[in-house]
Amino acid sequence: MRSTQIRQTFTDFFTSRGHQLVPSSPLVPDDPTLLLANAGMNQFKPYFLGETTPAFPRATSIQKCARTSDIDNVGRTNRHATFFEMMGNFSFGDYFKEDAIAYAWELLTQGYGLEKDKLWITVYEDDDEAEHIWRRIGVPANRIQRLGMGDNYWSMGVPGPCGPCSEVNYDRGPAFGEEGGPAVDGERYVEIWNLVFMQFQRGEGDRKGNFPILGELDRKGVDTGLGLDRLAAILQDAQNVCTTDLLLPTLNAVQDLAGRAMPSEGEEKVSFQVVAEHARSMAYLIADGVLPAKDGRGYVLRRLMRRAIRHARLLGIDGPVLPPVTARVIRNLGGVWPELTGQASLIEQVVAAEEESFSRTLTQGTRLLDAAISRTQHSGSAALTGETAFELADTYGFPVELTVEAARDAGLNVDEDRFATLLDEQRTRAKAGGKARTSQALKKQDTYRELSAALPRTEFLGYEHLSAEATVTGLISGGAVVPSAGQGTEVELVLNRSPFYAEAGGQIGDTGALNLSDGTVVRITDTRYGLEGFRVHTARVLDGELTTGASGEAVVDADRRAGLMRSHSATHILHAVVMATLGDHARQQGSLVEPDRLRFDFAHFSALTPDQLTQIEQTVNGHVLDDPAVRAWHADRAEAEAAGAIALFGEKYGDTVRIVDIGDFSRELCGGTHVAHGSQVGTFRLLTESSIGSNLRRVEALTGHGTITHLDTERRLLTELSGLLGTRPAEAPDVLHKRLEALASAQSELARHRTAELGRIAADLAGDARTSGRGRLLVQPVTGIASDELRSLAADTVTRLGTGVAIVILATEHQGKALLVAAVSPALHQTGAEASRLLTEAARIVGGGSGGRGAIANAGGRAPERLGQALAIAGQEAERLLNG
């Protein structure tokens, strides 16, 4: 059974049993506690937590997941992968264990035709109910094993729903390992389906992971996950996930590049599989908007790429590997996941640029590693230090595995224990910081959750109205729900109705005032979403006391909102123009919409040329002047996408979406506020274009009053400049250009005169040199010499003393500092004499230090009054050198 049929069989089975088919959410989740989507239940988390009422009691989905916790096992086991498709069915207070188990058994044995006697079941050690259901369904007791909380119990790690789980495992036979059932935890008994029964409410846990059970849930739920890769391996009788139809075409591409077939075992087999498996992961991540970066999800992608490149190099593939293997992923899976095909150009360019960059890293790291190996060998040590290996890995991105291999070839070991210690210390620091941030986010969300559970959703009126009568339904101060807040207090408040737009889609939140009927005045300083659909207003009580239940008028800052609308509509126009100018890959990756100014981030691989920037600015202004109508309408997600609406990476959309059209050239899913007609944007002005990371560009621009103010400033500057030049504004550039040319010519002439003058001074100084011992010596203070001239003067003087042995030491005071320079002739330097030796003590006397290697050195200090003494000491040192 091919993977397309496996998917179809799954969704047909559950939709025919009343489950709503829900599309996969992006790999970039709308959840501050998650880096990447890693389970099918991620997008349903608000339902399970009670934050949102589900629109349907049961659902099914095939979710894209990325998980790198077991990355080191990829290629070494038959079942591990960093990307996988999780097929799942979910019940939100509808059916429970009996039906979930019956569905799983029926689908596996009848829908997929798996042999019943090869299916093994694990249940939680205290879950008698689940075991009894499995036995009633026909699974004998000897193929049901009870395991502990680490294997068969689920929670999200925070207070909330939790419960036991039951896993279905498939026995692949003695060729894959020893007997003993899933408890053996080997390759033979493969876990394919996990059935989680959300049955209980858990409390706060301790540091060891223990937590109290607070009672049973009123509405029990089911969350299941059936791994497509693992099931495909079984149904296709494939050795492992890399030889299923999901990955075999990509693996074949790696074999073509390597010029040989993958062996049946050994490290080479691991490398073949790592390249193929990681290629799939990186293609999906890029398609969902992740770009390589130094941290976060961008670092996950970069790590996958670098591991794939390193393993390709181990296979002897020296040319580009990522573009051809990801192209094979797209060709193989793009029919099922159209975002791969739609972002093919982006994927190709990102992986090519990253591979080129990492190839340079490998070259640089190899050079540094060779130097470290040489130093280690000369020192007589048998091992490269852990610090060296860690620096190469941490600072230069050079994989430690390559360090170990190169050291081994040179007859050295690597102190891997010390390397591991340093790595653990770094991870501990990073983990502590991450935990602190996550804990803070979770604590804040807990407070929001507490309040939102008791309150209806805020009715948003801000599309049509900038003021509204509203009632305060909730208050948060100091991280806790409070009944009131006094004058001067910073609070977060919830209203039953609100005209304030909450920050989303790049548009910052509205500000304004809440004027209560009892005379209390509250300044609204920001508006954000606490949870999905839960609008939180950040505020300060200016006068009076704010209490829950108080009513009054909520008023948005109208001028500020108008500036935001201009910038938001301009952002949509800019997005359409950038894509039309640069290509479909140049999609929005982020934006900031502020009053009359905007910031727009997009995927691209080189700096924009002046001509491209001019073209973009002119085209945007052309659209604005055409005064296109701006229209918002609603449709279901599938209808909107079929109509060509662009969905932005990382944004979360419901089943019904809002679409904003600007003329016939821009159509995006958007919940923001916009002008009614394009001309209301005013004049658009591009300010800057820059790189903000690998393959990511940023432009900043002005709109409306921002552009007018900027143009007025430029006009005033031009008027002032033309006045200083004594000409008209239109002629100012030509006049200035001519004057700069004249100035450059004059400066060049002055430099020639100064060079000639310094030559005469050098000749005079050379004439003052005296004979000392075996050579000529000049030790003399000079005046009127700048700091950058003293060194060249000393060098010129020693040259004029001829080809014999000679020393020149000059000193001057410049801008309150003592400066000395010593120069030795080539004849003297060839005997091993270093100029720096002459100034060591002199530098100490003037309160500074010396520097320079070879035939010329300099010194300086903050005690110019001791310059004569320092010069005398330097002269004595020169005398000893010439008379030694």
Side-chain angles (χ1 to χ4, degrees):
M1 186 180 287
R2 295 185 60 79
S3 56
T4 50
Q5 188 180 351
I6 297 173
R7 294 188 194 92
Q8 194 65 51
T9 299
F10 187 89
T11 55
D12 286 349
F13 179 89
F14 283 105
T15 53
S16 69
R17 287 156 178 79
H19 291 67
Q20 174 68 40
L21 178 59
V22 179
S24 172
S25 65
L27 284 169
V28 179
D30 184 19
D31 187 332
T33 67
L34 285 175
L35 197 63
L36 294 165
N38 60 8
M41 63 80 60
N42 288 161
Q43 65 173 317
F44 303 119
K45 189 175 172 181
Y47 299 164
F48 288 122
L49 290 176
E51 298 171 359
T52 305
T53 301
F56 31 77
R58 51 178 69 183
T60 185
S61 70
I62 299 178
Q63 174 65 46
K64 297 177 292 187
C65 296
R67 191 183 299 171
T68 58
S69 55
D70 295 319
I71 191 171
D72 291 331
N73 289 324
V74 173
R76 298 187 180 279
T77 70
N78 293 320
R79 64 189 190 279
H80 284 102
T82 57
F83 173 88
F84 51 94
E85 297 176 43
M86 187 62 77
M87 305 186 294
N89 59 289
F90 307 88
S91 165
F92 313 117
D94 188 7
Y95 61 85
F96 199 48
K97 291 183 185 179
E98 187 88 38
D99 288 335
I101 290 173
Y103 286 151
W105 187 255
E106 180 184 356
L107 179 56
L108 289 175
T109 58
Q110 297 180 34
Y112 293 123
L114 297 182
E115 303 94 321
K116 296 179 180 180
D117 60 357
K118 289 190 176 182
L119 295 176
W120 287 67
I121 309 299
T122 64
V123 298
Y124 180 55
E125 56 191 0
D126 294 335
D127 194 355
D128 295 333
E129 180 185 6
E131 180 177 353
H132 293 155
I133 295 172
W134 282 114
R135 292 182 66 174
R136 284 200 306 271
I137 218 165
V139 181
N142 66 344
R143 291 210 310 276
I144 301 176
Q145 294 183 329
R146 293 190 180 227
L147 299 177
M149 182 167 286
D151 295 293
N152 279 71
Y153 205 92
W154 180 90
S155 84
M156 282 184 287
V158 294
C162 66
C165 48
S166 182
E167 296 175 350
V168 183
N169 303 262
Y170 184 83
D171 180 5
R172 301 208 68 185
F176 287 84
E178 60 181 298
E179 295 183 5
V184 174
D185 194 26
E187 292 288 302
R188 175 169 173 172
Y189 301 91
V190 180
E191 175 207 334
I192 53 174
W193 205 340
N194 187 17
L195 314 177
V196 176
F197 309 121
M198 296 190 187
Q199 186 172 357
F200 302 105
Q201 179 80 16
R202 61 157 282 186
E204 189 69 52
D206 59 24
R207 293 182 178 179
K208 296 181 179 179
N210 301 312
F211 52 82
I213 299 297
L214 304 180
E216 288 206 353
L217 296 170
D218 293 334
R219 292 171 60 84
K220 299 179 178 66
V222 172
D223 158 28
T224 86
L226 172 59
L228 175 62
D229 288 66
R230 296 183 181 185
L231 182 58
I234 292 167
L235 295 176
Q236 296 171 18
D237 196 24
Q239 175 72 19
N240 55 52
V241 297
C242 284
T243 53
T244 66
D245 68 334
L246 293 162
L247 278 171
L248 184 58
T250 308
L251 180 62
N252 288 337
V254 181
Q255 293 178 123
D256 291 342
L257 291 169
R260 62 187 184 280
M262 180 181 73
S264 59
E265 58 184 13
E267 291 301 312
E268 271 206 353
K269 179 184 180 183
V270 172
S271 293
F272 273 103
Q273 295 184 145
V274 165
V275 177
E277 197 282 330
H278 286 8
R280 177 177 62 168
S281 301
M282 62 185 79
Y284 278 91
L285 285 167
I286 297 168
D288 272 7
V290 181
L291 292 174
K294 293 181 179 179
D295 52 20
R297 56 182 64 97
Y299 180 72
V300 173
L301 173 60
R302 175 162 285 168
R303 185 184 181 197
L304 290 166
M305 290 174 151
R306 292 186 167 187
R307 288 188 94 240
I309 294 166
R310 181 179 67 82
H311 280 278
R313 299 297 182 262
L314 292 176
L315 293 173
I317 305 173
D318 294 325
V321 63
L322 298 188
V325 295
T326 51
R328 190 66 64 90
V329 172
I330 296 167
R331 193 186 316 161
N332 185 40
L333 298 169
V336 178
W337 299 99
E339 57 266 40
L340 291 175
T341 304
Q343 297 299 323
S345 176
L346 176 66
I347 294 167
E348 178 186 5
Q349 294 182 66
V350 170
V351 298
E354 187 69 14
E355 181 165 2
E356 181 181 352
S357 173
F358 187 51
S359 294
R360 291 194 297 269
T361 295
L362 288 176
T363 300
Q364 180 186 25
T366 300
R367 186 166 58 249
L368 295 169
L369 177 58
D370 288 344
I373 288 173
S374 179
R375 288 195 304 270
T376 303
Q377 290 172 327
H378 288 153
S379 70
S381 174
L384 204 65
T385 67
E387 283 77 6
T388 296
F390 182 75
E391 181 184 11
L392 284 167
D394 186 52
T395 304
Y396 300 101
F398 194 80
V400 68
E401 294 88 348
L402 291 186
T403 299
V404 172
E405 182 181 345
R408 186 186 304 121
D409 291 343
L412 300 173
N413 295 318
V414 175
D415 188 348
E416 294 186 68
D417 290 340
R418 177 59 180 160
F419 173 85
T421 299
L422 293 169
L423 188 61
D424 284 342
E425 290 174 356
Q426 182 193 59
R427 286 173 174 168
T428 299
R429 290 192 296 269
K431 190 174 182 181
K435 276 187 174 180
R437 290 190 297 272
T438 301
S439 175
Q440 186 177 11
L442 289 172
K443 183 177 180 181
K444 196 168 187 178
Q445 283 208 328
D446 285 343
T447 305
Y448 291 151
R449 192 174 294 121
E450 173 190 348
L451 199 55
S452 67
L455 300 177
R457 285 193 177 193
T458 301
E459 180 185 1
F460 177 58
L461 307 171
Y463 291 134
E464 296 85 17
H465 305 285
L466 294 182
S467 64
E469 291 297 316
T471 300
V472 178
T473 56
L475 288 173
I476 299 173
S477 180
V481 177
V482 296
S484 63
Q487 183 172 324
T489 305
E490 300 283 347
V491 296
E492 292 179 304
L493 59 91
V494 182
L495 301 173
N496 67 329
R497 310 165 76 235
S498 175
F500 294 95
Y501 179 81
E503 180 173 330
Q507 181 176 331
I508 63 175
D510 280 335
T511 61
L514 178 61
N515 302 311
L516 299 175
S517 55
D518 64 1
T520 299
V521 178
V522 179
R523 176 65 185 169
I524 305 296
T525 58
D526 196 10
T527 310
R528 294 174 179 267
Y529 284 109
L531 300 170
E532 183 183 357
F534 182 61
R535 194 177 303 264
V536 178
H537 307 75
T538 304
R540 183 178 180 84
V541 183
L542 298 183
D543 189 23
E545 183 178 25
L546 177 63
T547 60
T548 302
S551 297
E553 185 181 25
V555 183
V556 174
D557 287 335
D559 289 344
R560 184 175 181 275
R561 166 70 84 80
L564 287 165
M565 292 162 65
R566 285 190 285 267
S567 293
H568 203 152
S569 296
T571 300
H572 281 224
I573 298 172
L574 175 63
H575 189 190
V577 172
V578 166
M579 289 177 60
T581 304
L582 304 177
D584 286 344
H585 69 274
R587 292 201 171 203
Q588 178 176 330
Q589 301 295 313
S591 69
L592 177 63
V593 175
E594 295 181 315
D596 293 322
R597 67 181 299 121
L598 63 92
R599 191 177 71 204
F600 181 77
D601 302 337
F602 58 97
H604 197 54
F605 310 96
S606 61
L608 273 63
T609 66
D611 286 346
Q612 287 174 323
L613 291 171
T614 299
Q615 179 184 349
I616 288 170
E617 183 177 84
Q618 290 178 346
T619 306
V620 171
N621 280 314
H623 284 311
V624 169
L625 290 173
D626 287 342
D627 195 26
V630 179
R631 181 175 73 98
W633 52 287
H634 293 81
D636 63 51
R637 177 73 181 271
E639 180 185 352
E641 291 181 346
I646 295 176
L648 301 184
F649 293 133
E651 292 294 326
K652 189 171 184 178
Y653 304 99
D655 294 329
T656 300
V657 294
R658 181 173 182 261
I659 304 101
V660 173
D661 288 348
I662 301 181
D664 60 0
F665 57 85
S666 172
R667 173 169 287 173
E668 293 189 23
L669 304 188
C670 180
T673 62
H674 289 268
V675 298
H677 289 271
S679 61
Q680 293 172 335
V681 167
T683 306
F684 174 87
R685 182 68 177 269
L686 275 179
L687 292 179
T688 63
E689 189 272 345
S690 61
S691 169
I692 58 168
S694 179
N695 313 314
L696 200 58
R697 310 299 301 181
R698 169 174 291 172
V699 294
E700 298 187 52
L702 299 173
T703 62
H705 293 301
T707 303
I708 294 171
T709 301
H710 181 74
L711 292 175
D712 283 346
T713 300
E714 288 187 332
R715 182 178 59 186
R716 287 195 301 271
L717 289 173
L718 180 57
T719 301
E720 182 179 353
L721 177 62
S722 60
L724 292 172
L725 292 171
T727 187
R728 292 180 299 178
E731 297 170 353
D734 286 338
V735 172
L736 180 58
H737 181 67
K738 290 176 182 178
R739 293 195 183 183
L740 289 174
E741 285 184 338
L743 178 60
S745 178
Q747 288 175 332
S748 178
E749 184 65 22
L750 284 173
R752 285 195 296 272
H753 283 296
R754 183 57 174 168
T755 300
E757 183 181 0
L758 289 174
R760 289 192 295 272
I761 295 172
D764 291 343
L765 289 172
D768 293 337
R770 60 185 175 83
T771 301
S772 177
R774 57 195 173 102
R776 302 276 288 165
L777 174 64
L778 175 70
V779 180
Q780 190 167 317
V782 293
T783 58
I785 303 298
S787 58
D788 59 338
E789 296 174 338
L790 190 62
R791 189 179 177 95
S792 61
L793 181 60
D796 189 12
T797 302
V798 81
T799 300
R800 292 174 184 271
L801 291 176
T803 58
V805 171
I807 296 176
V808 172
I809 301 175
L810 303 179
T812 192
E813 180 182 346
H814 184 70
Q815 295 180 347
K817 294 182 180 180
L819 303 174
L820 298 97
V821 171
V824 300
S825 64
L828 182 57
H829 183 240
Q830 288 169 4
T831 66
E834 295 284 331
S836 59
R837 166 186 165 187
L838 304 173
L839 298 181
T840 303
E841 183 61 21
R844 187 188 64 77
I845 290 173
V846 296
S850 60
R853 298 179 63 181
I856 191 165
N858 53 275
R862 297 184 177 275
E865 68 276 7
R866 296 200 288 271
L867 195 56
Q869 180 186 354
L871 192 59
I873 291 295
Q876 291 171 13
E877 187 65 32
E879 292 272 8
R880 282 193 289 272
L881 180 60
L882 293 174
N883 290 278

